[in-house]
Amino acid sequence: PNGSPFSSPGPLPTVNSVVTDGAGEGWQSGHPCAPGDCHIGIAFGQSGQGAMQTPVQVGCVEIIQGDNLGEFATNLTLQYWRTGDGWVSYRTRTGLRGGIAKI
């Protein structure tokens, strides 16, 4: 991918750790997250200053989460950045029980 990864909280991921075929290191928040507190993504476009200037509405995402209670999100929302509006939610999965989730 062409862009810059971002996350909150936790260590800043690398592109290879968040966009992978399952062999990457992945990303961890480092602690349980309240709803809306943890985010991970890729700012498409140029790296660094202005990376958020290219709005990309991603068609789908596959997330692999832990299976242990308390180590996965029960709800996931796919969003994109739109200048003037901020984060726009357009796809949500609820009632997740860990493992693989496709949004």
Side-chain angles (χ1 to χ4, degrees), residues 43-76:
F44 291 98
Q46 64 191 36
S47 295
Q49 185 77 17
M52 300 293 282
Q53 299 303 316
T54 306
V56 175
Q57 188 171 349
V58 176
C60 64
V61 174
E62 181 178 274
I63 305 287
I64 302 171
Q65 303 190 91
D67 292 318
N68 297 326
L69 189 60
E71 295 182 1
F72 59 87
T74 57
N75 302 322
L76 294 170

Side-chain angles (χ1 to χ4, degrees), residues 9 29 36 38 48 50 65 70 73 84 90 92 97-98 100:
S29 65
C38 293
Q65 303 190 91
Y90 68 98
T92 298
R97 297 181 178 167
I100 297 174

Side-chain angles (χ1 to χ4, degrees), residues 8-9 27 29 31-40:
S8 175
W27 174 82
S29 65
H31 60 78
C33 299
D37 280 352
C38 293
H39 312 284
I40 186 168

